[in-house]
Every structure is written in C-alpha cells, then in structure tokens.
Amino acid sequence: LESTAQHPDLLLQLASVYAQSLKMAKVDSLLGLLPDSLTSSSDFIHAKALVSLSQQDTAAAYTSLEEYHIEHPLEKETIMLMADILFAQENYDQGIILMNQAIGFNTEVPEFWYYYGLFSKGFGMTEDVEFALERVQTLSKNDAFVSLVREQLKIEVIEE
C-alpha cells in the first residue's frame, strides 16, 4: 500500500472498494496515505464520512456529508445518509429543509418522500405525512418498500 501513495487516484479507488464491502479500517488507513492536497477532494470527504459513520461518530460524519453534499447536491445516497442522521437526532427542522431541497431537485424519488413523511410526522403534520405516503405509493414499484413506509409512518390505508 505504501507504494500506491504515489498514485492518489488509485488510493481513492481502493478506499471506495473497501467502503462498499464495509471494511472501514482499511478505508481509514488508505485515506491516511493520501497527500494533504487531496484531503479536500469530494471522494475523500465522502469516504471519510462513511468511516465516521462506521465508528458511530455521527457528528463528524454529518460534517463530512455536508461538505460532500455541497459539491454533489443531487446524490441520493448522501442525501439519505444525511436524513438518517438528522432523523436519529430528531432534528426535524433541518430534516424538512434537506428533504424540501432534495424533492425540489427531483420529485420522482420515493425515498425522498419517505424521509419527508418521517420528518413531517415528527412535527405532527398529518396532511403532509399522508401526502408523502401517497407519493411513495405512486412512485415506488417496490411493494415491500411501500409496506415499510406505511408501517414507519403508521398510516392505515383504507382500500376503496
């Protein structure tokens, strides 16, 4: 690995492969080999966020994800990771803002509507929760996901 330090792109690719297989200790050691000039790259920031999440350091992970999100505002995985952290922290204000931005970029992602429903539920906004569920049911072709959303939002759907 030390010899790959001369090839930062290869290090980032290796870190990505290890991150996908959830070998975060290896990701962290690879990231430590990168030259300082690359520690602000979006790939580095994203990998560092995944390492922080694996170490249960949600504050560091969220900070890294926010940095990454600035350069990649449309990336679904990042938005969903940020939403997970905000929901776990019961930070419904920031969660609603994040999901409104995400839905503003793409209204056709059922997962964005799911998170919007979760944050709306945190505020007790029943109509928004019902609307979010309706959007998930319309957009998702995955019955298991729709069932999960119904359960999480605790909405009973009355068949007509």
Side-chain angles (χ1 to χ4, degrees), residues 90-103:
E90 297 181 5
N91 188 342
Y92 305 131
D93 290 332
Q94 198 60 38
I96 286 284
I97 291 168
L98 175 66
M99 296 325 302
N100 278 330
Q101 290 171 346
I103 289 168

Side-chain angles (χ1 to χ4, degrees), residues 1-128:
L1 287 178
E2 295 294 330
S3 64
T4 59
Q6 298 171 0
H7 305 283
D9 291 341
L10 179 60
L11 281 174
L12 284 173
Q13 287 175 348
L14 280 171
S16 177
V17 168
Y18 283 130
Q20 290 171 8
S21 61
L22 302 175
K23 296 179 180 171
M24 294 304 167
K26 290 189 180 213
V27 173
D28 205 22
S29 66
L30 285 171
L31 295 178
L33 296 174
L34 286 172
D36 289 341
S37 61
L38 286 181
T39 58
S40 62
S41 78
S42 61
D43 290 334
F44 174 86
I45 292 167
H46 193 253
K48 200 69 176 162
L50 294 177
V51 169
S52 295
L53 277 176
S54 75
Q55 297 169 344
Q56 306 295 320
D57 187 352
T58 56
Y62 194 82
T63 299
S64 293
L65 288 168
E66 271 186 318
E67 288 179 45
Y68 185 79
H69 182 62
I70 290 168
E71 291 187 37
H72 304 276
L74 305 178
E75 188 174 278
K76 180 179 156 185
E77 177 191 353
T78 301
I79 293 167
M80 290 172 44
L81 286 171
M82 291 171 69
D84 279 339
I85 292 169
L86 292 172
F87 187 73
Q89 296 172 342
E90 297 181 5
N91 188 342
Y92 305 131
D93 290 332
Q94 198 60 38
I96 286 284
I97 291 168
L98 175 66
M99 296 325 302
N100 278 330
Q101 290 171 346
I103 289 168
F105 285 126
N106 188 346
T107 61
E108 304 299 311
V109 179
E111 292 86 355
F112 291 170
W113 287 104
Y114 164 65
Y115 282 106
Y116 180 81
L118 286 176
F119 290 117
S120 296
K121 182 181 173 193
F123 278 122
M125 299 177 352
T126 306
E127 289 179 15
D128 286 11

